[in-house]
Amino acid sequence: MKPLPDNPFRPGFGRLPPFLAGRDHEKGYLRTLLHCLRVGERDSEAVLLHGPRGNGKTAILRWLQLEASDKFNLRQIKAHFVSNPTVVVENLLGSHRDESREETMHGTIGGGVPGVLRSEGTRQLTRRQTVSLSLDSAMKQTARGKPLLMIMDEAHTADPAGMGVFLNAFQDSAGMAPMRLVLAGTSDVRDVLSAADATFADRINQLPIGLLSPAAGRAAITEPFAGHGIDAAGGVVERLAAWADNYPYFLQLVGEAAWMETANFGRLTGEAGEAAIEQARVPRNRYYSTRYEELAASGHLEFGVAIAAAVGAGGHRIKKVDVEEIARQHCGKGWSAAVDFIVRKGFLWRPHLEPDFQAGIPSLMDYTVKRHERE
């Protein structure tokens, strides 16, 4: 067999996979948003992608950037700078170059205070003129040449007060020029939006991003192989996708290993698949160990183990009232903070408007219970 091309799988948080499987609804929604923006519709439409880490929110944003191409003024807004209006204005106007140095040198500066234009390489920093534009004026000015598409990843890290200012500026300016806003963050991003002093936050359209369906999980593995004319033995793809729990990060992890093993076996055989699973098991267990140790360090290990056992017994779903009851039993007066913690860490999550919690990753529940039993 001739050598395989470079491995197309992309394990790593935020990387765009070779085939973005199972996100047809989300891609269709975002394509419609781009179309409305392209034809100049003026509307304060914003979209929030939310869900546990590793499910592909950042990958969808990267896909969106490719779809947007050069038809829009694309601006990536750093969530941790929303409390710094001057930096955001510079970003919008295209003059902001080195945000980390700005924060180090100046801390948080208010709107209207002289900013700094960073120089490249070793050139000396030079003063720029006072930033006199407000956030909403900067948004409108940026949208004059081409429609403005603003993307904010890691929105859960934003300061709620700063987020409120940013969202209010967007709402005030969106009716005057074509612009759209797409946010992404972990489940606790909704807490940030709730705390933001912006009524508009309640009307942001939400797209929950969780595990892939079994069919999409299989496609995430099959399509890159099929694209290179490589067939898989019967049942091996199902085995790989099931082992990965249809969790996008693990699918890329085991897919990468399967590609390497296919080079050894000549095709994607059952033996190659099992070898790939053993290879991917080490980084998966390392990831699970980190989650387990987070529970232990937070003092919520017993609560987490009880939740894991209940979720595993319930088909990886659990009613909100049962989560709260288990939390009260194990955490007393701190039960609400304990629930917030395991949701923030992606141990459990609840899609928008759904009544029940789901396991963030089903096999993490099994790992947690078994490790606790061993220890």
Side-chain angles (χ1 to χ4, degrees):
M1 179 180 176
K2 65 180 181 180
L4 293 178
D6 290 342
N7 201 317
F9 290 91
R10 298 286 182 267
F13 295 99
R15 302 183 70 182
L16 184 62
F19 177 70
L20 189 58
R23 303 304 185 194
D24 293 343
H25 170 69
E26 291 80 4
K27 289 190 289 187
Y29 190 100
L30 292 172
R31 281 195 178 109
T32 299
L33 179 145
L34 290 180
H35 171 74
C36 294
L37 187 54
R38 187 179 297 113
V39 299
E41 285 190 10
R42 300 181 180 186
D43 183 16
S44 57
E45 181 178 5
V47 180
L48 171 65
L49 311 176
H50 70 93
R53 54 188 165 182
N55 278 305
K57 298 179 297 297
T58 301
I60 293 174
L61 293 185
R62 295 190 186 282
W63 169 89
L64 178 62
Q65 292 176 55
L66 293 176
E67 284 288 304
S69 185
D70 59 352
K71 300 180 179 66
F72 305 94
N73 274 326
L74 178 64
R75 295 291 186 269
Q76 297 185 54
I77 308 298
K78 298 291 186 181
H80 57 282
F81 279 120
V82 295
S83 57
N84 188 332
T86 300
V87 173
V88 178
V89 167
E90 288 184 335
N91 191 322
L92 289 165
L93 299 179
S95 62
H96 187 56
R97 300 182 185 180
D98 188 345
E99 292 151 335
S100 60
R101 294 183 70 181
E102 170 79 353
E103 186 175 56
T104 300
M105 294 178 62
H106 295 279
T108 298
I109 52 180
V113 177
V116 173
L117 178 61
R118 269 67 49 201
S119 56
E120 302 293 339
T122 59
R123 286 184 298 161
Q124 186 176 8
L125 298 179
T126 59
R127 287 283 173 183
R128 66 187 295 274
Q129 292 183 343
T130 300
V131 175
S132 58
L133 286 179
S134 61
L135 274 175
D136 59 326
S137 295
M139 291 178 186
K140 287 183 284 189
Q141 180 168 312
T142 306
R144 284 175 184 168
K146 295 179 183 177
L148 172 62
L149 176 62
M150 292 180 287
I151 293 176
M152 183 189 296
D153 201 3
E154 303 292 324
H156 56 278
T157 65
D159 170 65
M163 179 66 87
V165 172
F166 179 80
L167 291 178
N168 283 325
F170 171 69
Q171 183 180 21
D172 291 343
S173 56
M176 305 297 292
M179 63 185 72
R180 294 293 189 277
L181 173 64
V182 180
L183 310 170
T186 54
S187 300
D188 51 325
V189 68
R190 290 182 290 179
D191 296 333
V192 173
L193 295 177
S194 295
D197 185 17
T199 57
F200 168 71
D202 297 333
R203 302 194 299 275
I204 292 178
N205 298 310
Q206 299 193 26
L207 294 178
I209 308 296
L211 299 176
L212 296 175
S213 68
R218 293 192 296 270
I221 294 174
T222 301
E223 290 298 324
F225 280 97
H228 291 283
I230 302 171
D231 295 326
V236 64
V237 172
E238 286 82 357
R239 163 73 171 139
L240 294 175
W243 179 87
D245 266 334
N246 299 307
Y247 179 54
Y249 171 58
F250 289 163
L251 287 166
Q252 295 301 305
L253 195 67
V254 78
E256 180 185 52
W259 187 269
M260 291 186 287
E261 293 299 333
T262 296
N264 296 330
F265 286 90
R267 63 189 296 259
L268 185 51
T269 63
E271 188 176 359
E274 292 305 316
I277 286 173
E278 288 308 309
Q279 186 181 147
R281 194 182 305 278
V282 173
R284 187 183 76 165
N285 284 346
R286 188 183 307 123
Y287 177 78
Y288 282 171
S289 180
T290 300
R291 302 285 80 76
Y292 186 93
E293 289 162 7
E294 285 176 344
L295 282 174
S298 70
H300 298 316
L301 181 58
E302 297 299 327
F303 168 53
V305 171
I307 286 291
V311 171
H316 305 303
R317 299 180 73 91
I318 185 170
K319 294 184 179 299
K320 181 175 180 287
V321 65
D322 293 335
V323 171
E324 293 174 351
E325 179 58 29
I326 294 172
R328 288 188 179 95
Q329 292 173 6
H330 287 271
C331 307
K333 293 181 179 179
W335 71 268
S336 181
V339 173
D340 289 343
F341 178 83
I342 63 171
V343 170
R344 186 167 66 252
K345 292 298 181 180
F347 201 71
L348 288 182
W349 88 293
R350 188 158 59 100
H352 183 51
L353 300 180
E354 290 198 12
D356 297 342
F357 281 100
Q358 302 175 12
I361 311 174
S363 56
L364 176 57
M365 305 294 106
D366 300 332
Y367 174 94
T368 300
V369 172
K370 291 177 181 177
R371 177 168 170 177
H372 189 259
E373 290 173 349
R374 290 196 308 268
E375 297 180 351

